[in-house]
């Protein structure tokens, strides 16, 4: 077994550039997230606002420089990137302005606005909005393929695939700085390094506490996964009485009921075998911890070594509580469903199910190329 061929859009762009095929070149870009450099001080101001900004507004130069993810240069600590789709990137560009794609690479192409704007007007169907660029298994040639760090990053593959980010990359450059700052602040209440560290500790560190869903699963696992729902509910009520937590019993038994219903759906959707159950929801925390490490690195809340150590810790937690990629995935989906789905079996649930099957079936998936238990590859890329 070998790794499936890794998609390399930069190589495809270079071939289109060599052939002078602007239609193919722009068509490739239309399905990609594009990045524009911006001074960090300007990006920090923009992150504090609520407004939208075009790529052109981010650039102080006469020509607009745009990069695909794999062509991003290292422009130093004072420069970050914003990202969007091709339509966003070309908004406000004038016909006499130059757009420079992937400067410094074999695919570099300087194209006047008078050439790209008519193409954009004629081909709206060939541009995928960035919010629709989801559920993609992206493996970067410049990322990690083997060793403990690759294994730990693969433990967060669910989150990466959902947002179409390369699962095997840990680098501050490959992010929309403003989006990450706003996301950490608005969704996690994290606005500085101390807050980021606290969030990481809550996910996979000393601050971790059992959620209601995880608590009822732990109790079932302690006394036997074969418990029927009524015996399991009695166990939970008895545990509450023995631990002076009688007031928690109604909420915990309600969570138990939700878990039973989700497990039934999991079996029908192929996430569990016919008699299978979920042992924990820690997979949900592990995947978010890997994402949190990426976000913290992207906005400067930690250095690369700290981010790497946090990802490795998340990978160690994953191996401690799960025996296989499939088990880790079911754990993730259960945690996500309990947190976000509210028994609606809506998009939060169905998208996670699709990603589960993608990661367990696609030949390019790290889950088919990395041994879960060993944290080492079964093959070489």
């Amino acid at each position: 077994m070998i790794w499936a061929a890794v998609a390399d859009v930069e190589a495809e762009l270079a071939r289109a550039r060599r052939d002078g095929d602007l239609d193919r070149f722009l068509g490739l870009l239309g399905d990609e997230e594009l990045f524009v450099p911006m001074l960090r001080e300007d990006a920090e101001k923009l992150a504090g606002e609520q407004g939208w900004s075009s790529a052109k507004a981010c650039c102080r130069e006469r020509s607009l420089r745009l990069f695909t993810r794999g062509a991003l240069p290292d422009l130093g600590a004072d420069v970050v990137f914003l990202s969007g789709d091709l339509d966003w990137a070309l908004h406000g560009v004038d016909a006499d302005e130059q757009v420079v794609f992937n400067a410094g690479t074999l695919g570099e192409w300087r194209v006047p606005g008078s050439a790209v704007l008519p193409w954009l007007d004629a081909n709206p169907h060939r541009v995928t909005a960035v919010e629709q660029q989801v559920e993609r298994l992206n493996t970067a040639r410049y990322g990690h393929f083997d060793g403990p760090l690759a294994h730990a990053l693969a433990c967060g593959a669910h989150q990466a695939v959902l947002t179409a980010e390369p699962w095997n990359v840990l680098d501050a450059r490959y992010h929309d700085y403003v989006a990450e700052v706003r996301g950490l602040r608005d969704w996690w209440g994290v606005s500085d390094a101390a807050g980021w560290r606290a969030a990481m500790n809550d996910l996979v560190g000393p601050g971790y506490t059992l959620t209601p869903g995880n608590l009822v699963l732990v109790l079932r696992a302690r006394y036997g996964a074969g418990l029927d729902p009524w015996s399991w509910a009695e166990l939970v009520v008895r545990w509450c009485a023995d631990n002076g937590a009688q007031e928690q019993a109604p909420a915990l038994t309600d969570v138990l009921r939700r878990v039973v219903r989700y497990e039934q759906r999991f079996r029908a959707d192929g996430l569990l075998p016919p008699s299978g159950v979920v042992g924990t929801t820690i997979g949900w925390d592990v995947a978010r911890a890997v994402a949190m490490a990426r976000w913290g690195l992207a906005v400067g809340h930690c250095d690369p070594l700290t981010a790497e150590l946090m990802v490795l810790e998340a990978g160690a937690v994953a191996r401690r509580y799960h025996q296989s990629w499939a088990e880790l995935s079911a754990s993730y989906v259960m945690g996500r469903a309990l947190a976000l789905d509210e028994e609606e079996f809506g998009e939060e649930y169905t998208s996670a199910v699709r990603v589960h099957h993608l990661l367990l079936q696609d030949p390019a998936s790290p889950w088919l190329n990395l041994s879960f238990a060993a944290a080492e590859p079964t093959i070489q890329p």
Side-chain angles (χ1 to χ4, degrees):
M1 181 187 296
I2 60 173
W3 283 90
V6 177
D8 190 348
V9 68
E10 286 73 33
E12 291 296 317
L13 287 166
R15 279 190 280 272
R17 176 67 182 95
R18 179 197 61 198
D19 297 338
D21 190 342
L22 184 61
D23 179 74
R24 173 162 171 72
F25 189 88
L26 294 175
L28 288 165
L29 293 175
D31 200 36
E32 294 294 318
E33 184 177 8
L34 301 177
F35 294 78
V36 59
M38 186 179 193
L39 290 176
R40 181 181 292 270
E41 61 182 276
D42 293 338
E44 290 173 348
K45 294 176 183 176
L46 183 60
E49 303 170 359
Q50 297 300 321
W52 176 88
S53 182
S54 68
K56 183 181 175 183
C58 302
C59 184
R60 295 183 178 182
E61 302 174 1
R62 177 61 179 168
S63 60
L64 174 64
R65 290 186 296 165
L66 295 171
F67 299 90
T68 53
R69 183 181 269 107
L72 285 175
D74 186 350
L75 299 177
D78 293 333
V79 177
V80 296
F81 294 91
L82 274 68
S83 69
D85 52 52
L86 185 61
D87 187 54
W88 165 83
L90 298 179
H91 182 83
V93 170
D94 294 328
D96 61 345
E97 289 183 290
Q98 288 282 315
V99 182
V100 184
F101 297 102
N102 283 358
T105 74
L106 293 175
E108 178 179 333
W109 203 338
R110 296 174 178 268
V111 185
S114 58
V116 296
L117 295 177
W119 185 95
L120 190 65
D121 289 339
N123 295 278
H125 58 288
R126 296 173 67 184
V127 177
T128 304
V130 70
E131 59 269 18
Q132 296 175 350
Q133 295 180 26
V134 295
E135 295 181 36
R136 297 180 178 182
L137 174 57
N138 288 330
T139 301
R141 289 189 177 276
Y142 44 87
H144 300 274
F145 282 90
D146 58 18
L149 185 57
H151 183 282
L153 288 168
C155 293
H158 249 290
Q159 290 286 113
V161 171
L162 279 169
T163 55
E165 296 180 85
W167 68 268
N168 62 331
V169 173
L170 185 63
D171 190 307
R173 287 175 296 169
Y174 306 113
H175 294 265
D176 182 319
Y177 177 89
V178 170
E180 306 299 23
V181 169
R182 290 175 175 174
L184 284 171
R185 180 192 64 211
D186 298 342
W187 291 98
W188 290 85
V190 171
S191 57
D192 54 27
W196 175 84
R197 173 68 73 168
M200 289 297 305
N201 284 339
D202 288 344
L203 289 170
V204 292
Y208 183 82
T209 57
L210 288 174
T211 61
N214 221 358
L215 176 57
V216 298
L217 289 171
V218 166
L219 288 173
R220 179 176 65 179
R222 182 181 300 171
Y223 291 95
L227 282 177
D228 62 74
W230 295 274
S231 300
W232 187 12
E234 290 176 356
L235 171 63
V236 169
V237 172
R238 186 165 63 253
W239 180 89
C240 289
D242 292 344
N243 288 273
Q246 292 91 333
E247 72 283 356
Q248 296 183 33
L252 290 176
T253 53
D254 181 63
V255 170
L256 181 156
R257 178 192 58 77
R258 295 176 63 200
V259 168
V260 169
R261 189 174 180 214
Y262 276 119
E263 286 180 335
Q264 292 172 339
R265 182 63 178 267
F266 279 23
R267 298 182 194 108
D269 289 340
L271 277 71
L272 289 174
S275 59
V277 297
V278 177
T280 175
T281 62
I282 290 176
W284 167 240
D285 301 310
V286 164
R288 290 185 299 155
V290 173
M292 179 65 72
R294 283 197 177 98
W295 301 331
L297 178 60
V299 304
H301 290 340
C302 67
D303 57 34
L305 177 59
T306 300
E308 183 174 316
L309 291 174
M310 290 293 97
V311 170
L312 289 170
E313 177 61 23
V317 170
R319 291 192 304 278
R320 192 176 307 143
Y321 292 100
H322 308 89
Q323 302 301 313
S324 68
W325 293 116
E327 188 177 312
L328 175 67
S329 185
S331 172
Y332 171 90
V333 179
M334 180 63 79
R336 181 181 180 87
L338 291 175
L340 304 177
D341 183 61
E342 299 295 335
E343 287 187 273
E344 294 178 357
F345 300 99
E347 186 60 21
E348 298 290 356
Y349 172 79
T350 57
S351 61
V353 172
R354 290 192 295 268
V355 171
H356 167 93
H357 291 302
L358 175 64
L359 284 166
L360 287 172
Q361 296 172 8
D362 193 310
S365 170
W367 293 3
L368 296 183
N369 289 286
L370 295 169
S371 166
F372 181 81
E376 292 288 344
T378 55
I379 45 114
Q380 294 293 326

